[in-house]
Amino acid sequence: MRGVGGPGVGVSPDRWTGSWESAPSGTAAALPGAAVRNVVHLSVGGRAVRVRLSNRFGSAPLRLGAVTVALRAAGPGALPGTLRVATFGGARTVTVPPGEDTVTDPVPLSVRRAADLLVTVATPGDDGPATFHRTALQTSYIAPRGAGRAADEDGAAYTTTVGCWYYVTGVDVLGPATGSVVAFGDSLTDGNGSTPDTNRRWPDRLADRLRADRLGVLNAGISGNRLLRDGAGPSALARLDADALDRTGVRVLVVLEGINDIKGVPTADVVSAYSAAYRTLVARAHARGVRVVGVTLTPYGGFPAYTAAREAVRQRVNAFIRTGGVFDAVADADAALRDPAEPTRLLPAYDPGDHLHFNDTGMARLAGLVLRALPG
């Protein structure tokens, strides 16, 4: 791991590094006049932050009437003295064209690793569908009458809770971190099966273990996402740049993607399509100086969509991931998380009950596998 992001000799200058990410997965109804207080959990800290906000899937220009950041005290309440107003080229408001993202100016705010940050976005008008991340597994808050409320330290106006992230898709920090790892995948990476509001997704657990290496971890998982086809969000191939390679300070890409193609409708059963897609992902990452870890697809026997024919496809795809020589390293999650007595199923200790996703214990196990596979 020291070769990826170790501190080396001497003191490195501060640099911008990705500390948190949410990949846009689609749209929700606009919230005209509201303020959304998104709760995000940082992986690495620094002395300033900047926030990425998205109108990627919007159909009309998006006017952001106010954006603030603050450290969280509890619930929607800000830690006193930490709330800051974000600007855009010095202005407190900005209009984001449809299909585009915007990034705030640097905001002077000291944040520690594993801190909860409140990113509040006020939208004064009905600007059409709101770009959001559906499966946050994190409670955020809405002030339905949000005019002037983005700057509230007190969270009393934030009377509605929501399990999605609206508009905010990334936080960078200026500090001593040496780069970031992007976890790129579907619901297994998004965190389904883990305990909500506890940050026990496997990318969170990986971030905990990378503390000494000063590497941020960015979760680019989208529940329902596919490698080969658009559906729940753009396909992995379509979103690779926006959700991974264009993020700040990326050093390593970890790919766990493909099970939704195998078990979805229509079934994708041509294994050469998977191998071609993985080769394309890796080639594009290598062209940007990013190394790639491939993760084998885990078993899902007992899940309603399971069939013997689909299992045969999974086995052949995994054989390519293990032996195809495409990835810089491989984390064999299939071997580690399957039940030795029934290899088509997850080990019960890792199964939250749906026979597809991972519980908190399974998430921690996968984080350990990825940690050991990171290029050194």
Side-chain angles (χ1 to χ4, degrees), residues 287-298:
R288 303 278 288 270
V290 174
R291 287 181 277 184
V292 187
V293 175
V295 184
T296 53
L297 305 182
T298 46

Side-chain angles (χ1 to χ4, degrees), residues 1-6 178-181 213 215 251-252 291 374-376:
M1 270 309 302
R2 297 298 179 188
V4 174
T178 58
S180 58
V181 176
D213 293 274
L215 281 168
R251 308 281 299 272
V252 180
R291 287 181 277 184
L374 291 177

Side-chain angles (χ1 to χ4, degrees), residues 37 68-72 78-79 82-84 109 116-120:
R37 185 152 279 183
T68 64
V69 297
L71 293 173
R72 180 162 80 141
L79 190 67
T82 68
L83 193 140
R84 306 283 189 272
L109 176 65
D116 280 351
L117 193 69
L118 302 177
V119 180
T120 306

